[in-house]
Structure formats: C-alpha cells, structure tokens
Amino acid sequence: MLSSNEINHFRTFGFHIVRNFFSDDELELMTAEYQRRFMTSKRFTHPDEPPKCASWPNLDPETPFLAGLLEDPRINEIMEQLFGHEFIGISSNAGSFVHETHWHPDNADVHMLSIRLACYLQPLDAHNGALRLIPGSHKNP
C-alpha cells in the first residue's frame, strides 16, 4: 500500500519508485520467462547483429507469471489507491533496448488516464540505461 506522501508524490511528479517489490524467487521466475521469450524473438534477427530493440507481449502460456501480473493483488491495490476501482489492466509486455530512447508519451490521448508499471531485471544507472522521467509531464497541458 502506498502512503499518502507516496500518492501525493505520484500525483505531483507522475511517477513513484517501489524498490524490492518482488521476492528473489519472483525475480528469478520473471528473468527465466523473459529469457525464454527473448530467445524466441531473437530467431527473427541476424545472428551477427544483436537487436537494438526487441519487444513482445507476455500474455501467452510461455510467460504465466508475467501474464499474471495484471491480476496481482499487490499491483491492483496500488492501482486502486491511485485510480479507484475504475481501472483495467490491458497489457503485460517485455522489452530489451540497447539504444537511447528519446522522450515520448506512452499514450497520446490526453482524455485517457493510463499508467505504466515497469520492472527492470538488472541494475541500471545514468551510464547504462536508467529510466529518465520528466517530472510533471503526465499532466494535461
């Protein structure tokens, strides 16, 4: 559950970081499912060239844990705190990026409230790919 300070931070800045959300066992399972799907996606690339970007949905039998995150009570509690009971989980997606991604909105429809939950399976910092956010960019101009 988020505290009132955490909810206010989210509403003000448009993001909230939750550390150590998943157990070590869950992270191992997520990593295994991710690796399995990543190897499947790599079969469509030239073997000498690693893909700069690979992205795929996880709503299939190969990734039951990742697909189940849409119904995870811990995640749903946070969503209910932020949006009330009127929310719908629509996607469980994984990706691998080895290039710079420029700032972009995840949803261009300013009338639709949406949120992205991201989990990074490796340590990231400013030198190797940390997520950079523009505080307040979630607000409708």
Side-chain angles (χ1 to χ4, degrees), residues 21 25 29 45 57 69 72 76 86-87 97 102 113 121 129:
F21 187 80
D25 289 342
L29 184 55
T45 63
L69 292 176
D72 188 301
N76 286 328
E86 300 295 320
F87 73 91
F97 299 89
H102 299 287
L113 295 175
L121 299 177

Side-chain angles (χ1 to χ4, degrees), residues 41-54:
S41 73
K42 278 184 70 167
R43 73 176 182 229
F44 299 108
T45 63
H46 190 280
D48 297 332
E49 296 180 28
K52 293 190 186 305
C53 172

Side-chain angles (χ1 to χ4, degrees), residues 6-16 82-83 115 138:
E6 291 169 327
I7 293 170
N8 288 334
H9 181 274
F10 174 83
R11 291 192 174 137
T12 301
F13 296 105
F15 68 92
H16 175 67
L82 296 175
F83 293 109
I115 188 169
H138 66 296

Side-chain angles (χ1 to χ4, degrees), residues 4-134:
S4 59
N5 285 341
E6 291 169 327
I7 293 170
N8 288 334
H9 181 274
F10 174 83
R11 291 192 174 137
T12 301
F13 296 105
F15 68 92
H16 175 67
I17 298 171
V18 180
R19 298 186 193 283
N20 303 312
F21 187 80
F22 295 106
S23 71
D24 289 343
D25 289 342
E26 289 172 320
L27 289 172
E28 281 185 35
L29 184 55
M30 291 169 74
T31 300
E33 289 185 3
Y34 171 88
Q35 288 295 335
R36 202 167 31 252
R37 291 287 287 142
F38 181 64
M39 295 310 291
T40 300
S41 73
K42 278 184 70 167
R43 73 176 182 229
F44 299 108
T45 63
H46 190 280
D48 297 332
E49 296 180 28
K52 293 190 186 305
C53 172
S55 180
W56 57 87
N58 290 313
L59 299 177
D60 60 45
E62 282 186 271
T63 55
F65 182 79
L66 292 170
L69 292 176
L70 289 173
E71 297 174 345
D72 188 301
R74 299 168 296 178
I75 292 172
N76 286 328
E77 280 182 12
I78 292 172
M79 295 301 97
E80 286 179 9
Q81 282 186 281
L82 296 175
F83 293 109
H85 293 287
E86 300 295 320
F87 73 91
I88 300 170
I90 59 169
S91 176
S92 176
N93 192 65
S96 173
F97 299 89
V98 291
H99 62 46
E100 186 171 323
T101 303
H102 299 287
W103 184 88
H104 63 278
D106 286 337
N107 182 357
D109 183 350
V110 296
H111 302 290
M112 181 178 169
L113 295 175
S114 64
I115 188 169
R116 175 168 293 218
L117 304 171
C119 177
Y120 294 87
L121 299 177
Q122 69 279 348
L124 298 175
D125 61 27
H127 303 290
N128 70 354
L131 176 65
R132 292 174 185 92
L133 303 166
I134 299 174

